[in-house]
Amino acid sequence: MIFKIGRKLSLGGWIWWLSYPIILQISLTSAIATPIKLKLPPPPQRGIAGNRAAAASRDKCPTVAQPLTALVPEYRATTGNRVWGLTSMERPTIWFYVPYANTAIVNMSFTLQDESNPAEPKIIYQNLKLSPTRTPGVMSVVVPNSIEPLTTNKSYHWFLSVNVGCGPLFVDGWVQRVEPEPNLRQILDRANPAARVALYTENGLWYDALTTLATLRVSKPQDSALNQDWQNLLDAIELGYLASQPLSENLRSDRLQPLKKETGF
């Protein structure tokens, strides 16, 4: 879903007033038996412009059916699109669809920076030589444990740049860490991974929901219910056409957010 934000929207002569949180009904079959609500909170009003998909292919770029894309909600505003989501993780994982095989990629890099002072951005983490995927597919970038935890209630700007011999293509967006309410934190700590996916979506924690579900899929690649959950979650932000893309063979569940023993919810 590309979410239109602002005070009002005019369609066909009618004025539609928008309210938050944005609520979408999705069904996570393996996480909970009944449909749950994906609640996406409003993004900050200023300073978080982004590009969820790379610009159209330039001359000499390899031809691809779908562009380089960040798997993050996109909000459309008159002042520019906003690519932004919440996490409760100290060091989040960010997901991308990379439509190029490693043989086509000259270089790939990732940068996370603090832009509290736009005049002097501070690089928090940078990897100038990311390992590309062997084949096109969905890959993740994990902020490593060596990096200080993200500060709560602050948005950080991330960039993924991919050079395929025709100049760099890039996507960029934002991640904001929040601290769940104590009651929710206690429930999350007791919940099994599938239940946590439902809790994350219901509480607007996009990065956490996507990472936990991806980790489940890596650990159970033949689980059709998990595959359907993945489809539904990407459908909710209008990226469902990427759901069939393979998860990178470089992904292992022990390199993602760890899964707790499924002790029930």
Side-chain angles (χ1 to χ4, degrees):
M1 184 72 64
I2 299 178
F3 306 104
K4 299 181 188 297
I5 60 179
R7 296 187 60 191
K8 60 184 178 180
L9 172 66
S10 176
L11 292 174
W14 292 88
I15 301 297
W16 298 84
W17 291 87
L18 306 182
S19 61
Y20 294 101
I22 299 168
I23 300 175
L24 301 171
Q25 286 285 143
I26 63 174
S27 176
L28 294 182
T29 54
S30 66
I32 193 167
T34 57
I36 68 168
K37 293 179 179 179
L38 171 61
K39 299 181 180 179
L40 293 175
Q45 291 299 302
R46 296 181 181 177
I48 59 163
N51 297 280
R52 184 165 76 169
S57 295
R58 310 170 188 175
D59 292 341
K60 299 183 180 179
C61 282
T63 300
V64 293
Q66 301 296 341
L68 174 69
T69 304
L71 306 188
V72 181
E74 180 178 49
Y75 303 75
R76 181 174 295 165
T78 56
T79 55
N81 292 355
R82 297 168 187 173
V83 181
W84 174 88
L86 295 178
T87 182
S88 66
M89 303 299 175
E90 294 181 342
R91 302 168 186 85
T93 299
I94 302 169
W95 294 85
F96 304 94
Y97 168 65
V98 179
Y100 308 104
N102 60 353
T103 53
I105 296 175
V106 177
N107 179 260
M108 183 163 58
S109 64
F110 176 83
T111 301
L112 177 69
Q113 60 189 34
D114 178 355
E115 296 186 6
S116 300
N117 180 358
E120 297 182 3
K122 179 182 178 182
I123 294 177
I124 302 300
Y125 170 63
Q126 189 171 56
N127 186 337
L128 297 177
K129 294 183 178 181
L130 280 176
S131 298
T133 56
R134 186 173 60 84
T135 58
V138 172
M139 64 166 286
S140 67
V141 176
V142 183
V143 178
N145 290 333
S146 59
I147 303 303
E148 289 293 317
L150 301 189
T151 302
T152 55
N153 302 317
K154 176 188 284 189
S155 290
Y156 293 82
H157 198 179
W158 50 256
F159 304 82
L160 181 75
S161 174
V162 180
N163 187 335
V164 287
C166 56
L169 304 171
F170 78 95
V171 290
D172 71 304
W174 299 76
V175 56
Q176 179 178 332
R177 182 187 167 203
V178 294
E179 182 61 38
E181 295 293 331
N183 288 345
L184 175 59
R185 174 59 70 190
Q186 291 178 9
I187 294 172
L188 285 167
D189 288 344
R190 296 196 305 267
N192 65 41
R196 288 207 306 275
V197 175
L199 289 164
Y200 288 142
T201 57
E202 289 177 333
N203 288 277
L205 298 168
W206 173 261
Y207 288 100
D208 304 359
L210 194 68
T211 296
T212 304
L213 184 53
T215 308
L216 280 167
R217 291 190 66 218
V218 170
S219 65
K220 301 177 181 179
Q222 304 305 317
D223 190 318
S224 60
L226 289 174
N227 292 336
Q228 186 60 54
D229 290 346
W230 183 260
Q231 177 73 59
N232 293 344
L233 197 56
L234 291 183
D235 278 340
I237 61 166
E238 289 193 348
L239 291 180
Y241 55 86
L242 296 177
S244 62
Q245 295 296 331
L247 294 176
S248 167
E249 74 282 352
N250 296 332
L251 298 177
R252 299 199 317 267
S253 59
D254 61 336
R255 296 177 61 186
L256 303 174
Q257 300 294 346
L259 296 179
K260 297 180 180 179
K261 183 179 179 181
E262 298 198 12
T263 55
F265 171 57

